Amino acid sequence: MKKILEAILNGATSEQIAALPLPDTYRAAHVLKSDEKMWEGVATQDRDPRKSIHIGDVPMPEIAPDEAVIAVMASSINFNTVWTSIFDPVSTFGPMARLGRESEWAKRHDRDYQVIGSDASGVVLRVGSAIRNWKPGDKVTVHCNHVDDQDPSSHSDSMMGANQRIWGYETNFGGLADVAIVKANQLMPKPAHLTWEEAAVSALCNSTSYRMLVSPNGANMKQGDVVLIWGASGGIGAYAVQYVLNGGGIPIGVVSSPEKAAILREMGCEAVIDRKAANYQFWKEDGTHNEAEWRRLGGDIRKLVGEDPDIVFEHPGRSTFAASVFVVKKGGTVVTCAATSGFMVEFDNRYFWMRLKKLIGSHFANYKEAYEANRLIAKGMIHPVMSQVFTLDQVGEAAYQVHNNLHEGKLAVLCLAPEEGLGVDDPELRAKVADKLTWFRR
Ligand code: NDP
């Protein structure tokens, strides 16, 4: 890998990069099938990613005709890194075994280890024989929608594909490694004004928020919409805030500390609720709902912006879902992509049907949506929300921070990049947006 890295840092040509031999093994953050049962009897919150994420060499797989090998300069931690490492709600070896039964090439994914990670920025090292649009040396970011493009159900909206999967979560050969194997239709141009680590943190969360709010497949937000955003300084929330502001909407950001509230204000989000200070108790101790507390949240929203939300950007799940359904405006939309606090949600259906509300399930983004979201980053209209940078050896610690909500925004991971700050090709655009690139830096 040393020669490959030297070539990249020295600006080698496409031909020079294509001529470099690939290593037989590469360094990767991975989980082991033999650890699958290690957390049995341990509460979800007490499961420690530092104990289940291993860093070590794994074999280099052969690539399929529609795939590319990427030298990963940087990657990022997503919440799915946490889910994989705590084997909850399911072990990801199940989905990979099912994938392995789909084709000869897919068999490669079904191994006794899984290289994790669903984001990457880097350089194309090799392309399979069927690839037309990319070549060795191209600087790229990678989105995580792993789609079988020979499946008719993948066309019109590839998130509808019968066997659509999330790369590095439901597949092997993910991005938290020195090398990643991806399908050509996961590739997007690297935003030229960003460093490798800044370019690595956005694709998963940014694309998810784009689909949830901007795309007609999601809430299809319009100018003036009031949008309540849970976890507004977290991974997806911090991109959601930017989309609402860019689209002429009015964000109300919910966070859990004065420090996080200060970040939101710096981003231009004027209406902020500190849920810890407000101490909402949406659930009573006996496990029933506390409607008075939904009303208190609704009252706080009205005090801040004078009206009810047109859209609620929902992902905490069980703890907040009923409140989200209650506070959204008559005819408004709750759009959800997750359930961090529990997926068996309950809400009072009377407030839902009598007030003609809508509920939209959303999951990642199709290639077009991810490409549009990446384009907005490349134009300096949406900004990466990176707060800290870790090394590949520290992936367990970084995932621990996300699992315990000790972080803000996105945590980047340097893979091949030897230090922070490399990879900028457009210093002029960088200078124009410089103040926005430090919103989350501590
Ligand atoms: P982060 O941990 O970065 O942010 C989530 C934020 O939600 C937290 O920082 C916290 O903010 C808030 N939160 C957590 N628990 C609660 C709770 N019980 N009540 C209210 N707020 C809560 O995670 P991400 O933003 O990256 O991801 C959020 C969720 O979305 C995860 O479950 C993830 O798996 C999922 N996801 C789904 C995707 C999809 O395609 N379906 C794509 C990306 C993410 P604070 O404490 O400041 O309020």
Side-chain angles (χ1 to χ4, degrees), residues 83 204 208 235-236 256 260 275 319 337-338 340 363-364 405 407:
W83 299 128
L204 188 146
T208 302
I236 52 175
S256 62
K260 291 180 175 183
R275 69 181 171 100
S319 60
C337 73
T340 313
H363 187 38
F364 187 59
N405 198 17
H407 69 300

Side-chain angles (χ1 to χ4, degrees), residues 53 56 106 121 131 194 206 224 235 238 249 260 281 288 354 356 370 403 433:
I53 294 177
S121 67
I131 294 192
L194 298 181
N206 180 39
K260 291 180 175 183
Q281 303 293 327
T288 59
M354 294 294 287
L356 303 104
H403 185 29
V433 298

Side-chain angles (χ1 to χ4, degrees), residues 11-84:
T13 63
S14 177
E15 291 71 26
Q16 286 166 334
I17 287 186
L20 288 170
L22 295 180
D24 296 333
T25 61
Y26 64 99
R27 194 174 58 125
H30 57 277
V31 291
L32 297 173
K33 193 164 191 200
S34 54
D35 286 345
E36 232 178 359
K37 307 262 184 256
M38 70 184 278
W39 300 122
E40 270 182 5
V42 180
T44 298
Q45 199 50 50
D46 297 333
R47 300 179 182 191
D48 187 341
R50 294 173 297 191
K51 297 190 175 145
S52 49
I53 294 177
H54 304 271
I55 313 295
D57 285 355
V58 298
M60 174 75 71
E62 196 185 342
I63 57 162
D66 63 346
E67 289 178 340
V69 181
I70 309 299
V72 182
M73 299 303 278
S75 180
S76 95
I77 306 296
N78 282 295
F79 217 97
N80 70 13
T81 321
V82 175
W83 299 128
T84 320

